[in-house]
């Protein structure tokens, strides 16, 4: 790996420790599929256990940094320029259903920009990491986005809104426009892994609306460091923090980015 700061080492260690806990709990969840009561409470506990591990590791190593995570209150750090942005279990519905596609996502933000990122997929034992300017890697292998240019060859990923989300109609329109002209659209259920897969050239692009900063923070840097273009979904606006503020995102290899983005609905 090109560079590896002490902060990234701390993040990798925290992800590994929490990953062991999630992997153990996932084995139990698979057994609970046949119980009528289901695995809901158990999964909530597994999520909190993972968060506690990550929080303890990160806050112990860097007590002055802030914290933004899915499972607990935001903490403003003594150092207002740095914060952790953490999703201890991205892909909760998959985890709950015994589907082995979920991740831990940890980002370090400095002055409004993600500078270090880790996404760990404990079921497949894939660790995606990136540091600003240092490239992106999976298990020490360098990542590079795909080179595909043609929409007809491209595979895209998205998150289809569920529950009370208001953007289902626009997403369905986008799917209706895209699906006839591409090789397929996947909805695997972890935004963090969707972005990591764009970085790995497995998907040619990804878009989603109504997603949270912790779903995308680490993935944004990993995708960018692998050569992806990553912006919000509002055309004509500068990329950057906007994505996390607006809660929408599009990422793709540079050869196909404009064609892909122009098929997406905007506001
Ligand atoms: C969800 C996943 C999913 C995405 C949702 C997220 P969670 O996170 O990333 O792929 O479509 O928008 O909320 O709830 O599993 O942590
Ligand atoms: Ca999430």
């Amino acid at each position: 790996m090109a560079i590896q700061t002490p902060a990234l080492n701390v993040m990798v260690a925290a992800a590994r420790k929490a990953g062991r806990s999630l992997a153990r709990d996932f084995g139990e969840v698979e057994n609970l599929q046949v119980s009528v009561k289901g695995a809901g409470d158990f999964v909530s506990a597994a999520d909190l256990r993972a968060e506690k591990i990550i929080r303890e590791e990160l806050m112990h190593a860097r007590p002055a940094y802030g914290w933004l995570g899915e499972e607990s209150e935001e903490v403003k750090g003594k150092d207002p320029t740095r914060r952790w942005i953490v999703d201890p279990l991205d892909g909760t519905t998959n985890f709950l259903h015994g589907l082995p596609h979920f991740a831990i996502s940890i980002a370090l933000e400095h002055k409004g920009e993600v500078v270090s990122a880790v996404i760990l997929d404990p079921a497949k034992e894939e660790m995606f990491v990136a540091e600003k300017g240092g490239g992106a890697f999976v298990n020490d292998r360098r990542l590079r986005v795909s080179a595909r240019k043609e929409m007809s060859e491209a595979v895209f990923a998205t998150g289809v809104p569920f529950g009370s989300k208001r953007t289902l109609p626009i997403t369905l329109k986008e799917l209706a426009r895209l699906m006839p002209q591409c090789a397929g659209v996947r909805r695997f259920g972890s935004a963090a892994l969707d972005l990591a897969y764009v970085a790995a050239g497995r998907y040619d692009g990804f878009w989603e609306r109504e997603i949270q900063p912790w779903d995308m923070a680490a993935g944004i840097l990993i995708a960018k460091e692998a050569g992806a273009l990553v912006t919000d979904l509002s055309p004509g606006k500068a990329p950057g923090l906007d994505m996390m503020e607006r809660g929408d995102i599009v990422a793709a290899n540079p050869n196909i980015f404009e064609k892909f983005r122009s098929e997406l609905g905007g506001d």
Side-chain angles (χ1 to χ4, degrees):
M1 220 177 291
I3 47 171
Q4 189 152 347
T5 61
L8 187 68
N9 288 333
V10 168
M11 293 159 75
V12 164
R16 285 218 170 97
K17 198 164 173 191
R20 285 194 291 276
S21 169
L22 282 183
R24 263 195 311 275
D25 287 339
F26 186 67
E28 189 55 33
V29 168
E30 286 179 310
N31 297 331
L32 289 173
Q33 295 310 316
V34 292
S35 87
V36 179
K37 191 168 162 277
D41 290 348
F42 182 81
V43 170
S44 305
D47 199 350
L48 291 174
R49 261 194 292 279
E51 198 218 49
K52 186 164 179 282
I53 292 169
I54 297 166
R55 202 181 165 111
E56 277 171 8
E57 293 283 312
L58 298 182
M59 295 311 249
H60 176 75
R62 299 286 187 280
Y65 292 9
W67 172 275
L68 179 67
E70 174 150 27
E71 300 304 327
S72 55
E73 286 272 299
E74 181 171 3
V75 176
K76 302 265 180 227
K78 274 195 196 130
D79 175 350
T81 69
R82 290 184 174 83
R83 65 174 176 171
W84 305 112
I85 304 178
V86 175
D87 191 343
L89 174 55
D90 185 57
T92 318
T93 306
N94 285 344
F95 191 93
L96 177 65
H97 284 251
L99 295 162
H101 190 77
F102 53 89
I104 291 165
S105 174
I106 304 176
L108 174 60
E109 187 188 63
H110 182 218
K111 295 186 176 164
E113 197 181 0
V114 178
V115 291
S116 304
V118 172
I119 295 174
L120 173 66
D121 173 344
K124 299 179 211 72
E125 296 185 355
E126 286 191 317
M127 168 88 76
F128 300 86
V129 304
E131 288 189 288
K132 192 174 170 235
F137 299 82
V138 59
N139 296 351
D140 292 331
R141 185 166 53 78
R142 197 173 191 107
L143 291 171
R144 191 70 213 151
V145 292
S146 70
R148 284 185 202 90
K149 292 191 173 87
E150 303 301 330
M151 289 293 278
S152 60
E153 293 173 353
V155 170
F156 299 113
T158 190
V160 180
F162 51 89
S164 59
K165 289 189 176 179
R166 68 195 153 72
T167 52
L168 182 60
I170 188 165
T171 306
L172 293 179
K173 276 191 203 144
E174 289 165 337
L175 285 168
R177 255 200 318 271
L178 270 175
M179 292 191 81
Q181 32 168 337
C182 72
V185 178
R186 302 290 182 260
R187 199 288 186 247
F188 279 8
S190 161
L193 288 177
D194 289 340
L195 283 161
Y197 283 18
V198 171
R202 297 172 186 172
Y203 294 141
D204 303 291
F206 162 71
W207 86 106
E208 187 165 350
R209 296 165 191 281
E210 282 187 87
I211 68 169
Q212 302 295 327
W214 44 81
D215 297 320
M216 57 172 133
I220 289 172
L221 182 67
I222 292 170
K224 278 186 178 167
E225 286 294 326
L229 295 177
V230 190
T231 72
D232 61 274
L233 272 165
S234 155
K237 278 198 168 183
L241 246 198
D242 221 22
M243 280 171 277
M244 288 206 255
E245 277 166 10
R246 287 173 46 94
D248 55 43
I249 186 167
V250 50
N253 91 42
N255 293 340
I256 213 157
F257 183 85
E258 283 307 330
K259 275 183 233 164
F260 174 48
R261 194 186 192 214
S262 68
E263 296 299 334
L264 303 173
D267 279 322

